[in-house]
Amino acid sequence: TDAPPTAAPPRWRFREAPDLHQWIGALDGCDACVGGLLAAHPELLLVPAVEGGRCFDGAVAPCVAAEQEVAVVLRFWTALLEGAANKFVFTSIDHLLHLLAARSPLLSSLSLQALASFARPTSLVRLQGPELQPSVPLFASAPPGTVERILQLARGWGSKGLGLGLLTCVHADDFEQRALPVGAGEVRYEYLPVRVSTGGPRPAAVRVHLPAATVAARTVPELLAQAITACTAQHPALPRERTFALLCRIRLAHAFHARV
């Protein structure tokens, strides 16, 4: 496609509901391509694809060519899955979940679009009425942790009790952030580590706080590296899903200060 990188993927033009059984070869090739790129360039992800993997910070420059190749595959998946039938044939959800934590915001956004296309019923099914719409086995066939990652992405900047309700966030002028609550745009994350043994003492809660001034002055990889250091200083083990939850909060807070 000749569309710019930030443009929405084109609609599928060959048929309204392509049968994914006819695209198994292409889907297998795309799956192998993305898997090989993530294995060869782990710096594309801020959260490692496997438990215990290394979290990359801003010190490692990402491979631009690899990012572009992954973006092409994600756009293809989004366009193909938009109106496809037999979506259970698609088995690359694990790659999409990994890429939700991509270092590039574009790859993260494209992976979320592909997941949405996979979960969305075809136009023909929607016309049959909501009571007749079959549920796409997104969660039944997906790897463990799929629902948790999607729910982490659904979090907002704060609650109505903090003065950051939906109405305030929609109507507030981004250029007049001084009038917003003090806690706006900062990162506060807390979790309780898993107890090592049943008879051992209960570990203390791990707390991370990144002030709004720090969030506005640094990049997302730098903020994540700082937060991980703060977490591991309190408890040596930081689970991968906790890292992803921390990344989601950092990206939300960082976007709060954006002027776009």
Side-chain angles (χ1 to χ4, degrees):
T1 178
D2 296 328
T6 56
R11 293 186 179 276
W12 198 251
R13 300 181 182 181
F14 295 101
R15 59 168 67 179
E16 177 62 21
D19 188 351
L20 290 191
H21 280 115
Q22 302 175 3
W23 292 87
I24 291 179
L27 292 175
D28 289 344
C30 291
D31 183 88
C33 175
V34 174
L37 289 171
L38 293 181
H41 303 280
E43 72 277 1
L44 295 178
L45 302 178
L46 291 175
V47 179
V50 295
E51 193 69 53
R54 176 185 174 188
C55 292
F56 285 85
D57 53 23
V60 180
C63 179
V64 178
E67 287 186 350
Q68 293 175 348
E69 292 182 26
V70 173
V72 169
V73 175
L74 290 176
R75 290 191 179 96
F76 169 72
W77 280 343
T78 301
L80 181 64
L81 292 171
E82 179 66 28
N86 298 318
K87 294 186 179 183
F88 61 87
V89 175
F90 185 74
T91 58
S92 301
I93 299 179
D94 54 341
H95 293 325
L96 296 179
L97 294 177
H98 297 330
L99 287 168
L100 289 176
R103 178 173 178 170
S104 167
L106 174 62
L107 294 184
S108 179
S109 176
L110 289 175
S111 62
L112 186 60
Q113 291 179 29
L115 280 172
S117 294
F118 177 71
R120 188 180 299 118
T122 63
S123 58
L124 179 61
V125 173
R126 291 196 297 268
L127 289 176
Q128 295 175 352
E131 68 279 359
L132 299 178
Q133 292 185 12
S135 58
V136 178
L138 172 62
F139 303 132
S141 61
T146 300
V147 178
E148 289 75 5
R149 286 212 167 187
I150 295 177
L151 290 178
Q152 289 295 337
L153 294 173
R155 294 181 57 88
W157 281 309
S159 63
K160 187 176 181 180
L162 295 175
L164 289 174
L166 178 61
L167 186 64
T168 302
C169 290
V170 170
H171 290 283
D173 189 347
D174 289 344
F175 290 91
E176 297 179 358
Q177 291 185 349
R178 296 180 180 178
L180 294 175
V182 179
E186 65 181 18
V187 176
R188 290 186 180 273
Y189 182 61
E190 176 180 344
Y191 76 95
L192 190 64
V194 178
R195 184 181 299 182
V196 178
S197 60
T198 56
R202 181 180 297 275
V206 176
R207 296 181 175 87
V208 178
H209 176 220
L210 300 177
T214 302
V215 174
R218 298 186 179 181
T219 64
V220 171
E222 292 172 345
L223 293 169
L224 181 61
Q226 179 180 347
I228 290 176
T229 301
C231 288
T232 54
Q234 302 174 55
H235 192 272
L238 180 62
R240 187 164 54 101
E241 291 309 312
R242 295 292 185 182
T243 308
F244 181 80
L246 187 57
L247 173 62
C248 291
R249 286 162 174 77
I250 289 175
R251 277 185 163 160
L252 275 173
H254 197 265
F256 191 87
H257 300 281
R259 292 293 191 267
V260 293

